mmCIF file of all heavy atoms in Angstrom:
data_model
loop_
_atom_site.group_PDB
_atom_site.id
_atom_site.type_symbol
_atom_site.label_atom_id
_atom_site.label_comp_id
_atom_site.label_asym_id
_atom_site.label_seq_id
_atom_site.Cartn_x
_atom_site.Cartn_y
_atom_site.Cartn_z
ATOM 1 N N GLY A 219 2.110 -2.604 -3.273
ATOM 2 C CA GLY A 219 1.716 -2.685 -4.677
ATOM 3 C C GLY A 219 1.648 -4.123 -5.169
ATOM 4 O O GLY A 219 0.695 -4.512 -5.867
ATOM 5 N N ALA A 220 2.644 -4.921 -4.825
ATOM 6 C CA ALA A 220 2.646 -6.326 -5.234
ATOM 7 C C ALA A 220 1.481 -7.087 -4.600
ATOM 8 O O ALA A 220 0.840 -7.933 -5.239
ATOM 9 C CB ALA A 220 3.972 -6.978 -4.862
ATOM 10 N N LEU A 221 1.188 -6.780 -3.344
ATOM 11 C CA LEU A 221 0.060 -7.419 -2.661
ATOM 12 C C LEU A 221 -1.270 -7.020 -3.301
ATOM 13 O O LEU A 221 -2.200 -7.829 -3.381
ATOM 14 C CB LEU A 221 0.076 -7.051 -1.182
ATOM 15 C CG LEU A 221 1.224 -7.658 -0.368
ATOM 16 C CD1 LEU A 221 1.371 -6.939 0.967
ATOM 17 C CD2 LEU A 221 1.017 -9.164 -0.153
ATOM 18 N N SER A 222 -1.351 -5.774 -3.769
ATOM 19 C CA SER A 222 -2.551 -5.328 -4.473
ATOM 20 C C SER A 222 -2.757 -6.128 -5.752
ATOM 21 O O SER A 222 -3.866 -6.611 -6.032
ATOM 22 C CB SER A 222 -2.440 -3.831 -4.794
ATOM 23 O OG SER A 222 -3.479 -3.416 -5.664
ATOM 24 N N ILE A 223 -1.692 -6.285 -6.528
ATOM 25 C CA ILE A 223 -1.782 -7.064 -7.764
ATOM 26 C C ILE A 223 -2.216 -8.493 -7.455
ATOM 27 O O ILE A 223 -3.025 -9.083 -8.180
ATOM 28 C CB ILE A 223 -0.424 -7.066 -8.491
ATOM 29 C CG1 ILE A 223 -0.066 -5.649 -8.942
ATOM 30 C CG2 ILE A 223 -0.449 -8.002 -9.695
ATOM 31 C CD1 ILE A 223 1.354 -5.508 -9.459
ATOM 32 N N ASN A 224 -1.705 -9.027 -6.364
ATOM 33 C CA ASN A 224 -2.006 -10.402 -5.955
ATOM 34 C C ASN A 224 -3.353 -10.533 -5.245
ATOM 35 O O ASN A 224 -3.739 -11.607 -4.816
ATOM 36 C CB ASN A 224 -0.887 -10.908 -5.038
ATOM 37 C CG ASN A 224 -0.723 -12.418 -5.046
ATOM 38 O OD1 ASN A 224 -0.673 -13.043 -3.999
ATOM 39 N ND2 ASN A 224 -0.622 -13.021 -6.223
ATOM 40 N N ARG A 225 -4.041 -9.397 -5.084
ATOM 41 C CA ARG A 225 -5.355 -9.313 -4.441
ATOM 42 C C ARG A 225 -5.336 -9.742 -2.971
ATOM 43 O O ARG A 225 -6.349 -10.182 -2.422
ATOM 44 C CB ARG A 225 -6.402 -10.120 -5.221
ATOM 45 C CG ARG A 225 -6.617 -9.594 -6.627
ATOM 46 C CD ARG A 225 -7.749 -10.244 -7.367
ATOM 47 N NE ARG A 225 -7.899 -9.656 -8.697
ATOM 48 C CZ ARG A 225 -8.593 -8.534 -8.948
ATOM 49 N NH1 ARG A 225 -9.200 -7.904 -7.957
ATOM 50 N NH2 ARG A 225 -8.677 -8.052 -10.170
ATOM 51 N N ARG A 226 -4.209 -9.575 -2.336
ATOM 52 C CA ARG A 226 -4.121 -9.781 -0.875
ATOM 53 C C ARG A 226 -4.325 -8.400 -0.236
ATOM 54 O O ARG A 226 -3.397 -7.755 0.254
ATOM 55 C CB ARG A 226 -2.766 -10.373 -0.521
ATOM 56 C CG ARG A 226 -2.606 -11.826 -0.957
ATOM 57 C CD ARG A 226 -1.190 -12.348 -0.722
ATOM 58 N NE ARG A 226 -0.724 -12.118 0.642
ATOM 59 C CZ ARG A 226 0.509 -12.436 1.059
ATOM 60 N NH1 ARG A 226 1.363 -12.995 0.214
ATOM 61 N NH2 ARG A 226 0.877 -12.187 2.304
ATOM 62 N N LEU A 227 -5.565 -7.949 -0.236
ATOM 63 C CA LEU A 227 -5.840 -6.551 0.080
ATOM 64 C C LEU A 227 -5.742 -6.230 1.566
ATOM 65 O O LEU A 227 -5.404 -5.100 1.927
ATOM 66 C CB LEU A 227 -7.205 -6.157 -0.482
ATOM 67 C CG LEU A 227 -7.293 -6.220 -2.016
ATOM 68 C CD1 LEU A 227 -8.655 -5.773 -2.494
ATOM 69 C CD2 LEU A 227 -6.202 -5.376 -2.659
ATOM 70 N N ASP A 228 -6.029 -7.176 2.438
ATOM 71 C CA ASP A 228 -5.847 -6.915 3.869
ATOM 72 C C ASP A 228 -4.391 -6.556 4.149
ATOM 73 O O ASP A 228 -4.087 -5.572 4.831
ATOM 74 C CB ASP A 228 -6.256 -8.131 4.706
ATOM 75 C CG ASP A 228 -7.755 -8.374 4.705
ATOM 76 O OD1 ASP A 228 -8.497 -7.456 4.297
ATOM 77 O OD2 ASP A 228 -8.172 -9.474 5.102
ATOM 78 N N ASP A 229 -3.474 -7.378 3.619
ATOM 79 C CA ASP A 229 -2.053 -7.114 3.816
ATOM 80 C C ASP A 229 -1.619 -5.851 3.084
ATOM 81 O O ASP A 229 -0.773 -5.085 3.573
ATOM 82 C CB ASP A 229 -1.223 -8.299 3.324
ATOM 83 C CG ASP A 229 -1.337 -9.515 4.225
ATOM 84 O OD1 ASP A 229 -1.622 -9.332 5.429
ATOM 85 O OD2 ASP A 229 -1.152 -10.645 3.735
ATOM 86 N N CYS A 230 -2.189 -5.615 1.922
ATOM 87 C CA CYS A 230 -1.860 -4.411 1.150
ATOM 88 C C CYS A 230 -2.117 -3.160 1.978
ATOM 89 O O CYS A 230 -1.236 -2.285 2.102
ATOM 90 C CB CYS A 230 -2.684 -4.373 -0.142
ATOM 91 S SG CYS A 230 -2.575 -2.809 -1.048
ATOM 92 N N PHE A 231 -3.284 -3.050 2.555
ATOM 93 C CA PHE A 231 -3.610 -1.853 3.343
ATOM 94 C C PHE A 231 -2.775 -1.789 4.625
ATOM 95 O O PHE A 231 -2.442 -0.696 5.095
ATOM 96 C CB PHE A 231 -5.104 -1.812 3.648
ATOM 97 C CG PHE A 231 -5.925 -1.312 2.489
ATOM 98 C CD1 PHE A 231 -6.626 -2.199 1.682
ATOM 99 C CD2 PHE A 231 -5.984 0.041 2.192
ATOM 100 C CE1 PHE A 231 -7.372 -1.749 0.605
ATOM 101 C CE2 PHE A 231 -6.718 0.505 1.121
ATOM 102 C CZ PHE A 231 -7.418 -0.390 0.322
ATOM 103 N N LYS A 232 -2.412 -2.923 5.163
ATOM 104 C CA LYS A 232 -1.542 -2.942 6.352
ATOM 105 C C LYS A 232 -0.224 -2.245 6.050
ATOM 106 O O LYS A 232 0.207 -1.347 6.799
ATOM 107 C CB LYS A 232 -1.289 -4.384 6.783
ATOM 108 C CG LYS A 232 -0.198 -4.517 7.849
ATOM 109 C CD LYS A 232 0.136 -5.983 8.119
ATOM 110 C CE LYS A 232 1.351 -6.128 9.029
ATOM 111 N NZ LYS A 232 1.676 -7.562 9.277
ATOM 112 N N TYR A 233 0.413 -2.614 4.947
ATOM 113 C CA TYR A 233 1.729 -2.045 4.642
ATOM 114 C C TYR A 233 1.619 -0.626 4.086
ATOM 115 O O TYR A 233 2.531 0.189 4.288
ATOM 116 C CB TYR A 233 2.489 -2.979 3.692
ATOM 117 C CG TYR A 233 2.869 -4.263 4.377
ATOM 118 C CD1 TYR A 233 2.219 -5.455 4.081
ATOM 119 C CD2 TYR A 233 3.856 -4.276 5.360
ATOM 120 C CE1 TYR A 233 2.546 -6.632 4.732
ATOM 121 C CE2 TYR A 233 4.191 -5.450 6.021
ATOM 122 C CZ TYR A 233 3.533 -6.626 5.706
ATOM 123 O OH TYR A 233 3.855 -7.794 6.374
ATOM 124 N N LEU A 234 0.518 -0.321 3.421
ATOM 125 C CA LEU A 234 0.293 1.063 3.003
ATOM 126 C C LEU A 234 0.231 1.984 4.221
ATOM 127 O O LEU A 234 0.845 3.057 4.236
ATOM 128 C CB LEU A 234 -1.011 1.179 2.213
ATOM 129 C CG LEU A 234 -0.972 0.869 0.719
ATOM 130 C CD1 LEU A 234 -2.365 1.008 0.127
ATOM 131 C CD2 LEU A 234 0.008 1.789 -0.010
ATOM 132 N N ASN A 235 -0.503 1.574 5.213
ATOM 133 C CA ASN A 235 -0.635 2.401 6.424
ATOM 134 C C ASN A 235 0.690 2.542 7.162
ATOM 135 O O ASN A 235 1.002 3.611 7.690
ATOM 136 C CB ASN A 235 -1.713 1.815 7.340
ATOM 137 C CG ASN A 235 -3.118 2.133 6.850
ATOM 138 O OD1 ASN A 235 -3.479 3.291 6.679
ATOM 139 N ND2 ASN A 235 -3.916 1.107 6.624
ATOM 140 N N LEU A 236 1.493 1.482 7.163
ATOM 141 C CA LEU A 236 2.812 1.565 7.784
ATOM 142 C C LEU A 236 3.699 2.564 7.041
ATOM 143 O O LEU A 236 4.434 3.347 7.653
ATOM 144 C CB LEU A 236 3.477 0.186 7.805
ATOM 145 C CG LEU A 236 2.892 -0.841 8.782
ATOM 146 C CD1 LEU A 236 3.554 -2.203 8.572
ATOM 147 C CD2 LEU A 236 3.082 -0.372 10.223
ATOM 148 N N ALA A 237 3.609 2.565 5.719
ATOM 149 C CA ALA A 237 4.404 3.504 4.922
ATOM 150 C C ALA A 237 3.975 4.942 5.181
ATOM 151 O O ALA A 237 4.813 5.845 5.308
ATOM 152 C CB ALA A 237 4.274 3.172 3.441
ATOM 153 N N VAL A 238 2.676 5.165 5.284
ATOM 154 C CA VAL A 238 2.163 6.520 5.520
ATOM 155 C C VAL A 238 2.569 7.017 6.905
ATOM 156 O O VAL A 238 2.853 8.203 7.094
ATOM 157 C CB VAL A 238 0.633 6.551 5.355
ATOM 158 C CG1 VAL A 238 0.057 7.892 5.804
ATOM 159 C CG2 VAL A 238 0.261 6.283 3.904
ATOM 160 N N GLU A 239 2.605 6.114 7.883
ATOM 161 C CA GLU A 239 3.044 6.504 9.222
ATOM 162 C C GLU A 239 4.486 7.018 9.203
ATOM 163 O O GLU A 239 4.839 7.926 9.947
ATOM 164 C CB GLU A 239 2.926 5.312 10.177
ATOM 165 C CG GLU A 239 1.492 4.962 10.546
ATOM 166 C CD GLU A 239 1.414 3.715 11.408
ATOM 167 O OE1 GLU A 239 2.489 3.242 11.864
ATOM 168 O OE2 GLU A 239 0.306 3.191 11.624
ATOM 169 N N LEU A 240 5.314 6.445 8.334
ATOM 170 C CA LEU A 240 6.705 6.886 8.225
ATOM 171 C C LEU A 240 6.801 8.234 7.512
ATOM 172 O O LEU A 240 7.570 9.102 7.921
ATOM 173 C CB LEU A 240 7.530 5.835 7.461
ATOM 174 C CG LEU A 240 7.773 4.517 8.191
ATOM 175 C CD1 LEU A 240 8.463 3.525 7.261
ATOM 176 C CD2 LEU A 240 8.618 4.729 9.445
ATOM 177 N N GLU A 241 6.046 8.397 6.433
ATOM 178 C CA GLU A 241 6.065 9.654 5.687
ATOM 179 C C GLU A 241 4.807 9.742 4.823
ATOM 180 O O GLU A 241 4.624 8.930 3.909
ATOM 181 C CB GLU A 241 7.304 9.745 4.802
ATOM 182 C CG GLU A 241 7.416 11.079 4.079
ATOM 183 C CD GLU A 241 8.637 11.132 3.173
ATOM 184 O OE1 GLU A 241 9.414 10.154 3.156
ATOM 185 O OE2 GLU A 241 8.805 12.145 2.477
ATOM 186 N N PRO A 242 3.943 10.728 5.070
ATOM 187 C CA PRO A 242 2.690 10.827 4.307
ATOM 188 C C PRO A 242 2.866 11.534 2.961
ATOM 189 O O PRO A 242 2.443 12.667 2.767
ATOM 190 C CB PRO A 242 1.797 11.638 5.249
ATOM 191 C CG PRO A 242 2.750 12.521 5.987
ATOM 192 C CD PRO A 242 4.002 11.708 6.169
ATOM 193 N N THR A 243 3.495 10.856 1.995
ATOM 194 C CA THR A 243 3.589 11.411 0.649
ATOM 195 C C THR A 243 2.398 10.930 -0.171
ATOM 196 O O THR A 243 1.737 9.939 0.177
ATOM 197 C CB THR A 243 4.887 10.982 -0.053
ATOM 198 O OG1 THR A 243 4.820 9.579 -0.348
ATOM 199 C CG2 THR A 243 6.098 11.271 0.829
ATOM 200 N N LEU A 244 2.157 11.613 -1.278
ATOM 201 C CA LEU A 244 0.996 11.297 -2.115
ATOM 202 C C LEU A 244 1.280 10.195 -3.134
ATOM 203 O O LEU A 244 0.402 9.832 -3.916
ATOM 204 C CB LEU A 244 0.538 12.563 -2.848
ATOM 205 C CG LEU A 244 0.110 13.728 -1.949
ATOM 206 C CD1 LEU A 244 -0.232 14.942 -2.801
ATOM 207 C CD2 LEU A 244 -1.076 13.336 -1.070
ATOM 208 N N GLU A 245 2.463 9.643 -3.116
ATOM 209 C CA GLU A 245 2.863 8.651 -4.113
ATOM 210 C C GLU A 245 1.884 7.490 -4.274
ATOM 211 O O GLU A 245 1.594 7.080 -5.408
ATOM 212 C CB GLU A 245 4.257 8.128 -3.768
ATOM 213 C CG GLU A 245 4.839 7.184 -4.780
ATOM 214 C CD GLU A 245 6.229 6.720 -4.405
ATOM 215 O OE1 GLU A 245 6.815 7.257 -3.435
ATOM 216 O OE2 GLU A 245 6.745 5.813 -5.081
ATOM 217 N N PRO A 246 1.340 6.922 -3.181
ATOM 218 C CA PRO A 246 0.409 5.800 -3.375
ATOM 219 C C PRO A 246 -0.824 6.153 -4.205
ATOM 220 O O PRO A 246 -1.421 5.271 -4.828
ATOM 221 C CB PRO A 246 0.009 5.434 -1.937
ATOM 222 C CG PRO A 246 1.134 5.912 -1.090
ATOM 223 C CD PRO A 246 1.606 7.173 -1.752
ATOM 224 N N LEU A 247 -1.200 7.429 -4.235
ATOM 225 C CA LEU A 247 -2.438 7.816 -4.905
ATOM 226 C C LEU A 247 -2.323 7.802 -6.424
ATOM 227 O O LEU A 247 -3.330 7.874 -7.124
ATOM 228 C CB LEU A 247 -2.872 9.203 -4.414
ATOM 229 C CG LEU A 247 -3.059 9.311 -2.895
ATOM 230 C CD1 LEU A 247 -3.580 10.682 -2.526
ATOM 231 C CD2 LEU A 247 -3.985 8.215 -2.369
ATOM 232 N N THR A 248 -1.086 7.712 -6.929
ATOM 233 C CA THR A 248 -0.907 7.615 -8.378
ATOM 234 C C THR A 248 -0.190 6.318 -8.768
ATOM 235 O O THR A 248 0.188 6.150 -9.926
ATOM 236 C CB THR A 248 -0.088 8.811 -8.906
ATOM 237 O OG1 THR A 248 1.180 8.871 -8.239
ATOM 238 C CG2 THR A 248 -0.837 10.115 -8.697
ATOM 239 N N ASP A 249 -0.026 5.417 -7.824
ATOM 240 C CA ASP A 249 0.711 4.177 -8.082
ATOM 241 C C ASP A 249 -0.148 3.220 -8.915
ATOM 242 O O ASP A 249 -1.212 2.782 -8.473
ATOM 243 C CB ASP A 249 1.077 3.520 -6.744
ATOM 244 C CG ASP A 249 2.017 2.341 -6.913
ATOM 245 O OD1 ASP A 249 2.067 1.761 -8.007
ATOM 246 O OD2 ASP A 249 2.702 1.999 -5.932
ATOM 247 N N PRO A 250 0.320 2.854 -10.111
ATOM 248 C CA PRO A 250 -0.487 1.965 -10.959
ATOM 249 C C PRO A 250 -0.633 0.558 -10.405
ATOM 250 O O PRO A 250 -1.596 -0.138 -10.738
ATOM 251 C CB PRO A 250 0.281 1.962 -12.290
ATOM 252 C CG PRO A 250 1.681 2.325 -11.922
ATOM 253 C CD PRO A 250 1.560 3.278 -10.776
ATOM 254 N N ASP A 251 0.298 0.130 -9.548
ATOM 255 C CA ASP A 251 0.169 -1.208 -8.966
ATOM 256 C C ASP A 251 -0.956 -1.279 -7.944
ATOM 257 O O ASP A 251 -1.340 -2.374 -7.517
ATOM 258 C CB ASP A 251 1.486 -1.628 -8.306
ATOM 259 C CG ASP A 251 2.538 -2.057 -9.326
ATOM 260 O OD1 ASP A 251 2.180 -2.191 -10.514
ATOM 261 O OD2 ASP A 251 3.706 -2.245 -8.934
#
């Protein structure tokens, strides 16, 4: 989320995918950050 705000989107998607690999919850889909 912080990387998204900072517009470092390559890194943002990297850590999003790592989080989903651990547990695929829907939380990112409503995250305002």
Side-chain angles (χ1 to χ4, degrees):
L221 291 164
S222 170
I223 295 170
N224 206 230
R225 297 187 179 276
R226 289 174 52 183
L227 296 182
D228 290 345
D229 288 334
C230 170
F231 280 102
K232 170 187 172 180
Y233 291 107
L234 276 179
N235 283 303
L236 289 174
V238 171
E239 288 176 10
L240 290 174
E241 184 182 357
T243 70
L244 300 176
E245 185 179 351
L247 303 184
T248 57
D249 188 338
D251 283 351

